Amino acid sequence: QVQLVESGGGLVQAGGSLRLSCAASGRIFSRHGMGWFRQAPGKEQEFVAAISWSGGSTYYADSVKGRFTISRDNAQNTVFLQMNSLKPEDTAVYYCATDRIEWRAVVVGISIDDFDYWGQGTQVTVSS
């Protein structure tokens, strides 16, 4: 059974930083790309970032490009999301998810339908 556990969320002032982590188990982590998504109250789930199994390909939503960085540590079965220059509109529950395909080399253009397992989410609140 695949388990994804997010951590690192919290309350931060606008302009601040947070680093989210997602620890994975139950699947050969190093073979699968990973993604981060978010959902704000009253809004649909939104793609944030994705990273390929090797870390060689990354993909970002325009709204976070240049501020957020996705990375992974395959030895620790963990994917990270470094969030800098946070804005109130970044407030949401953040979820990590696994790519259903093994060995996908390029994640540019990946969609939510390509992800099959999801974590429970971690709340990020950015105050103005």
Side-chain angles (χ1 to χ4, degrees), residues 2 4 27-29 31-35 37 50-53 72 97-104 107 110-118:
V2 177
L4 302 173
R27 169 176 273 181
I28 302 177
F29 177 81
R31 296 182 180 179
H32 292 265
M34 298 292 295
F37 296 79
I51 188 167
S52 64
W53 65 272
R72 64 187 297 157
T98 64
D99 184 355
R100 65 178 71 250
I101 302 296
E102 291 184 339
W103 309 121
R104 189 193 305 264
V107 294
I110 199 169
S111 74
I112 191 171
D113 293 334
D114 292 312
F115 294 86
D116 55 357
Y117 290 100
W118 297 78

Side-chain angles (χ1 to χ4, degrees), residues 1-20:
Q1 183 178 356
V2 177
Q3 267 199 317
L4 302 173
V5 180
E6 301 96 336
S7 61
L11 173 64
V12 64
Q13 286 190 330
S17 298
L18 282 174
R19 190 191 196 206
L20 305 184

Side-chain angles (χ1 to χ4, degrees), residues 34-37 46-51 58-61 64 68-70 80-81 95 107 110 115:
M34 298 292 295
W36 285 97
F37 296 79
E46 174 189 21
F47 168 78
V48 175
I51 188 167
T58 57
Y59 179 49
Y60 296 93
V64 307
F68 291 11
T69 303
I70 189 170
F80 305 98
L81 186 68
Y95 301 89
V107 294
I110 199 169
F115 294 86

Side-chain angles (χ1 to χ4, degrees), residues 16-20 67-68 81-86 94 124:
S17 298
L18 282 174
R19 190 191 196 206
L20 305 184
R67 300 188 298 121
F68 291 11
L81 186 68
Q82 177 67 44
M83 306 186 295
N84 298 329
S85 303
L86 283 161
Y94 283 71
V124 171

